[in-house]
Amino acid sequence: MSNDLPAVRTAGATDAAGIAAEFIGVTQRFGTFTAVDDIDLRIPEGKLTTLLGPSGCGKTTSLRMLAGYTRPTSGTIRIHGVDSTTLPPEKRGLGMVFQSYALFPHLTVAENVGYGLKLRKMSTKDIQRRVTETLDLVGLAHLGASKPKKLSGGQQQRVALARAIAIRPRLLLLDEPLSNLDARLRVQMRAELRRIQAETGLTVVLVTHDQDEALEMSDLMVLMRGGKIMQTGAPREVFARPANRFVADFLGYENFLTDQSKTFVTVRPEHLAVGADDTGDALRLDATVVSTAFRGVDLLVTLDAVDGAGETVRLLADVRAGDGAVLTPGTRTTVSAGGAHLVPLHDSGKE
Ligand SMILES: Nc1ncnc2c1ncn2[C@@H]1O[C@H](COP(=O)(O)OP(=O)(O)O)[C@@H](O)[C@H]1O
Ligand SMILES: [Mg+2]
């Protein structure tokens, strides 16, 4: 080959700065089925990145390719600037925690956490120090001598996390690690994981189908659908400006309509006012109440309205419960929203 080939995207030192891992045109096919479809993604160093999307959209497959358990059909995976596409998992310096984390039942908590260090032939003294440090980090220093079955689900999950962290992985990959926990514990563990990530400065890639989890935990959020990346950005950015209808829908926007200026927009239920209100009139439509649902603090009002394109649209407004006393089904009213809350969308189609 000659030297004057066009420049391909190489991982030069400056190019790779701050990037822990990179997917470049990565595709994964299973037979004729494309599970991951030509994705490009940069995972920032020292941050928490989430892969978010509905079941089957290719999150786990992407993570498995990053870990080296599955080889991409095409494309390149770089880890810290090095083409690692065909590198076996044990050479990638990764820690992983899956949804169904398996602790070794016959080993103590401390032995579980030290397991990977022993494999790496670390000295007993160093293992002890590292295990104590790591158990401290996850708040389990007092349980080192216990067997896993004596622990609660949340504690076991922390041990799994500690075991993955103990080896000081260059990348920590977490596949729905909280989904086996009950709702309250799951919310606690989000904050806990976030704290651990911040304290250690670890690069974390977390897979989840839970938008609240992703919004709360991510530095960078990657929304996937059907093997493709729909949008990448900081949570506030993506939440305020969903790129398309799918993302908006997934993040709870609910209302999709054409406004007076013929722009296809979406607006969140809590930003849609019902009846006379001072929320602004960038959007103002006559509407008829279909039903209401009392939720304690708030009231969800379902309405039908004719939008700026002359289409009848079903809308959902989330108003304060006290405001909704007269909103019986059939009531004619208006819905309105301020311009700041109308998010223009390019694709009006649901598919
Ligand atoms: N080994 C495999 N063989 C065939 N199909 C697979 C395999 N692994 C995953 N898939 C399919 O690829 C799609 C994406 O799967 P996955 O990455 O596990 O989704 P997610 O983690 O987002 O729920 C699904 O339709 C799944 O059935
Ligand atoms: Mg999965």
Side-chain angles (χ1 to χ4, degrees), residues 55-56 58-61 99 175-176 207:
S55 178
K59 306 181 295 295
T60 294
T61 304
Q99 183 178 341
D175 194 351
E176 313 243 7
V207 161

